[in-house]
Structures are given as C-alpha cells and as structure tokens.
Amino acid sequence: MRKEKSPEVLLWLVAIGFFMQTLDTTIVNTAIPSMATSLGESPLHMQSVVVSYALVMAILTPASGWLADKFGTRRIYLLSIFLFTLGSFLCASSHNLPQLIVSRIIQGAGGAMLQPVGRLAVLKAFPHEKFLRAMSFVTIPGLIGPLVGPTLGGWLSESFSWHWIFLINLPVGVAGFILSLIYMDDFRSPKVHTFDISGFLMIAFGMVTVSYALDGVVELGLRQASAILLAIVGLVFVALYWLHASHKRNSLFPLRLFEIVTYRVGILGNFFSRIGISGSPFLLPLFFQVGMGYSPVKSGLMMLPTAIAGLLVKRLGIDLINKFGYRKTLIANTIAIGVILSSFSFLSGSEPLWIMLIQLFMIGGANSLQFTAMNTITLKDLPDSQASSGNSLMSMVMIFTMSLGVAVVAALLSLFNNVAETQHYTDRLFAFHASFICIGVISAITAVIFAQLPKNDQPTPETSDTVQN
C-alpha cells in the first residue's frame, strides 16, 4: 500500500532531480582529458561527449510537458530517473568513444525530462501563493550543481578514474526512483491536445543536422562542402517548420509568440549570446589542462570563481536591471562578456594566479547577469495562454545552444590547430587564444540584437526572481 503523499517529500525529490541534471552538465568538462587518454582519443576531439548529452536534452524538452500531461507526472518522472541512471551506468561501462556517446544520449534522454516534469509536479501540487517559495527551494540544488561539478569531476578523475563521475549517480538515482514510486503523485491533464509530431520532427532534425555539421568537421573529418550542405539542410527544416506552424492551429511553438517584441529579441539574443557563453565551460578546462598543463583537480578548482560569482551576482543583477533597465544592461553586459572572453587570449601561464582568478570571477558574474536579464525579458510580456509554449521554446534554445556552443568551440580549436601545424607555429596556446577571441567577438556582436529592445521597457522584479539559468 502506497504511503500518503507529502508535499515536502515531493520538493526534496524534485530538488534531487534538479541537482543530478545540473551536476552532470558541468562535471564532465574537467574530466575530458582523462577520458580521452583512457579511450585513446585526442582531448580536442571529445566534444561529442558533451554535445550528444545536451542535444538530446534540447530535442526532448519540448515533448516532456505533453508526455507528463498524457501519461502522468509520476510515470514520466520515474522514466526520466530510470533512463538517467541507466545511462550513467552505461557511461561508466563504456570502453570506447562510440559506446560513451550512445550512453550519453540515453542519459540525456532522462535528464531532458527531470527538470520540466519535476517543475510541473510542483506546480500542480502547490497552490499559487506557495509556488514561488516551493520553486525557490527546489532550484537551490540546481545552483549548487555547477558550483561543485568541475571540482568534483577533476578530483574523481585524478584520484580514482573518470568512470566515477557517472557511478556517483547510481545510488542517488536508485534512491530517487524508489522514493518517487512511493511518494510522488501522478498528476495528468484531463484534456490533452494532439502532439505536433510533424513539427517536432522538423525542429529535431534541423537541430541534429546543424549540430552534426559542426561536429562532423572535427570528429568525422567531413569536408567543408559536406558540412555546409548539412548545415543548409538543417536550416531548410527549420524554415519548413516555420511554414508548417503558420497554418497549424496547435503547432509546437506558435508563430504568434514572435509578434511580441521582447520575446522575439529575447529568443534571438539568447540563441546567439549563449553560443560563446556555452562554449567557454568546455574550452576553459581544456585550456588549463591541455594548454597550461594543470592537473584535473587544479583545473576544476580554477572554475570555482565563475560559479561563486554567479551566485553572488544573482541578487545584484536584479538591482542593476531595476536601475538601468533591460536594454542598457544587456547591451553593456553583452559587450563586457565578449571583452572578458577575448581577454583569456592574453594568458600564457606566466601571469600571477590572481589575474586569472579575477578574469574567471568576472566572466561568472557577467554570465549570471546575462542569464537573469535575458530570461526575464524573454518571458515577462507573454500572456498566460502562451506562457507554456514560450517557456518551452526558450528552454529548448537554452539547452540547444549548450551543444552548439561546444560544437563551435571544437570546430574553432580544430581549425586553428590545423593552421598552427601548417604554419609550423611553436606557440602551443595559439589555437586556444584564437578560439577565445572568436567566441568573444561572437558574444559581443549580439549586443546589436539587444539594441532592438524598446528604450522605455521597464523590468518586473517579481518575474526576475523566478527565472533560472
């Protein structure tokens, strides 16, 4: 006989799910060189381990809400924990890179549903006046995950082996599954519209093809013409979805969302500015370990200032937005991110440690402010009838740019590494320095998009408090 449900237990279950998912997005980065050595691969060709996880999360995120409404939050949450835990076990058991990529896809399929389904369960279990406090509780572990992930990944891979960054998920996953089976309610929607499967497939195929075009240049040795052709095919499918959505009533992401200026600018700004921001967590550990020869533990510790600054700026960021408004804040901060990312190109390893720590602290704080401002401006003017689809599209864009940013950085590293070999450069850091400049420029240019925001657009502090990265 099942036990009586407790809202407090539900919060802990969802919080653990948030922690598992956010931890795994960062814990792998500092372990990549160790994984590459173990699997006989080049560290500069390991981006698929990150890309595959993030890409499958981006693809499945739009479907997670519909699945929960159709089959119940309890069933889908249990399925997500099962897939995440199974994928973690398979990752730890992998003996080569293809096996690891397939295992990461399974793990990502579970991770894609942990956050949205958990958030939906909390929304349905708590009355409106208690929802904000409940969500604040469950998102705290999600902020701690990126804080401890890089250091924990470096320590586990150096002190034990990289397999342990996945094995630590097993006891948590098993406990979470059993407790969810006992305590989680099975909420579902009485009226579920037909899922836009054709639109979903168009978007999914477009994302996979564009990402594969970038990733294939590095790992599969695709010729530039083949990669460009693949990218064009991906963009064609995105265009086909646009045509599809223009005449379908219950499309996955209605085009009327883009009639709202702040949403349109926010989505475009999110997409392009996050390419550089999302690529840096992959690039920095490689820079420290492969370029500067740091140990995995030291590389992980170097990432701590970014996470600490991100937490500290959360409250300050809202105050800055309230004082200067979204437009001025985003223009100035986007340019600042580009400058800070480019400044890493001046590092050679001979500088005092405190200079690098200041740079890392600055990029962490600037990223945190960027996330808060971008996400709130994107969602704040959406009417209730479009809030669900608008939030789902933004979540998909946020996750997809994680994979796209890593793929872009990997392609840049490969390009500049080939240039260095062709020109016989002796500077071992040339490829890293050039890549930092490129992603910095990409980030800074995005300020042009945010300049399209209304000049008199004022913030809504209550909304800012509720939106996460």
Side-chain angles (χ1 to χ4, degrees), residues 319-456:
D319 293 336
L320 287 173
I321 296 169
N322 287 333
K323 182 176 181 179
F324 297 105
Y326 288 107
R327 186 174 181 272
K328 290 181 179 179
T329 300
L330 281 167
I331 291 174
N333 196 65
T334 304
I335 294 173
I337 289 174
V339 172
I340 298 168
L341 285 173
S342 298
S343 72
F344 284 98
S345 64
F346 294 102
L347 296 178
S348 63
S350 60
E351 303 83 8
L353 181 61
W354 61 267
I355 292 179
M356 286 186 282
L357 295 178
I358 288 176
Q359 288 176 288
L360 291 164
F361 188 87
M362 290 174 62
I363 194 63
N367 285 348
S368 180
L369 175 58
Q370 189 82 353
F371 295 148
T372 299
M374 284 195 307
N375 295 351
T376 52
I377 193 64
T378 304
L379 299 179
K380 78 181 192 70
D381 292 332
L382 286 180
D384 290 342
S385 60
Q386 299 180 41
S388 178
S389 57
N391 182 59
S392 294
L393 176 57
M394 189 184 76
S395 298
M396 187 191 75
V397 167
M398 288 163 57
I399 300 171
F400 176 57
T401 50
M402 287 173 56
S403 67
L404 192 61
V406 172
V408 167
V409 164
L412 289 171
L413 279 174
S414 178
L415 170 65
F416 291 121
N417 193 53
N418 289 337
V419 170
E421 291 178 353
T422 302
Q423 300 298 322
H424 305 291
Y425 291 161
T426 57
D427 182 7
R428 72 184 190 283
L429 297 177
F430 168 77
F432 290 101
H433 288 163
S435 298
F436 276 121
I437 292 174
C438 286
I439 64 172
V441 171
I442 292 172
S443 299
I445 289 176
T446 313
V448 176
I449 297 176
F450 293 120
Q452 309 309 310
L453 287 169
K455 294 182 179 180
N456 60 347

Side-chain angles (χ1 to χ4, degrees), residues 50-60 207-208 211 399-400 403:
V50 180
V51 170
S52 57
Y53 178 81
L55 186 59
V56 74
M57 283 183 59
I59 292 171
L60 292 181
M207 287 192 295
V208 169
S211 183
I399 300 171
F400 176 57
S403 67

Side-chain angles (χ1 to χ4, degrees), residues 31 64 113 138 219 241 337:
S64 59
M113 297 182 285
V138 300
E219 289 207 7
Y241 173 79
I337 289 174

Side-chain angles (χ1 to χ4, degrees), residues 147-366:
L147 180 65
V148 302
T151 305
L152 182 60
W155 177 73
L156 287 172
S157 60
E158 183 175 333
S159 301
F160 302 96
S161 72
W162 63 267
H163 306 82
W164 282 94
I165 66 175
F166 301 111
L167 291 175
I168 61 171
N169 291 328
L170 302 188
V172 179
V174 171
F177 186 91
I178 295 172
L179 292 173
S180 298
L181 189 64
I182 298 172
Y183 289 104
M184 179 169 276
D185 275 305
D186 199 27
F187 300 106
R188 64 180 67 198
S189 176
K191 293 181 64 176
V192 182
H193 62 80
T194 304
F195 186 66
D196 181 16
I197 185 65
S198 56
F200 172 76
L201 291 175
M202 290 177 193
I203 290 288
F205 191 81
M207 287 192 295
V208 169
T209 308
V210 170
S211 183
Y212 185 77
L214 287 169
D215 199 30
V217 171
V218 182
E219 289 207 7
L220 302 179
L222 293 181
R223 294 183 178 272
Q224 290 183 349
S226 301
I228 292 173
L229 180 61
L230 275 176
I232 291 174
V233 170
L235 294 175
V236 166
F237 272 87
V238 173
L240 286 174
Y241 173 79
W242 192 273
L243 296 174
H244 163 82
S246 65
H247 66 265
K248 184 174 178 61
R249 182 178 179 183
N250 292 321
S251 59
L252 193 62
F253 304 119
L255 296 187
R256 62 181 179 273
L257 286 169
F258 296 94
E259 296 173 2
I260 303 169
V261 175
T262 51
Y263 187 84
R264 182 171 65 246
V265 174
I267 283 292
L268 288 173
N270 253 293
F271 182 86
F272 288 103
S273 69
R274 283 179 181 268
I275 290 177
I277 294 173
S278 299
S280 58
F282 173 79
L283 180 59
L284 282 167
L286 282 178
F287 176 62
F288 291 137
Q289 293 183 58
V290 178
M292 293 193 170
Y294 288 2
S295 69
V297 171
K298 185 175 181 180
S299 174
L301 289 172
M302 291 293 290
M303 300 302 294
L304 274 178
T306 62
I308 293 172
L311 291 175
L312 294 178
V313 171
K314 277 296 178 190
R315 181 68 254 177
L316 176 62
I318 296 172
D319 293 336
L320 287 173
I321 296 169
N322 287 333
K323 182 176 181 179
F324 297 105
Y326 288 107
R327 186 174 181 272
K328 290 181 179 179
T329 300
L330 281 167
I331 291 174
N333 196 65
T334 304
I335 294 173
I337 289 174
V339 172
I340 298 168
L341 285 173
S342 298
S343 72
F344 284 98
S345 64
F346 294 102
L347 296 178
S348 63
S350 60
E351 303 83 8
L353 181 61
W354 61 267
I355 292 179
M356 286 186 282
L357 295 178
I358 288 176
Q359 288 176 288
L360 291 164
F361 188 87
M362 290 174 62
I363 194 63

Side-chain angles (χ1 to χ4, degrees), residues 63-87:
S64 59
W66 183 87
L67 289 171
D69 286 340
K70 179 73 173 179
F71 300 104
T73 53
R74 179 168 165 266
R75 290 182 180 180
I76 301 303
Y77 198 72
L78 287 170
L79 176 63
S80 66
I81 293 177
F82 172 76
L83 289 175
F84 188 88
T85 307
L86 174 64

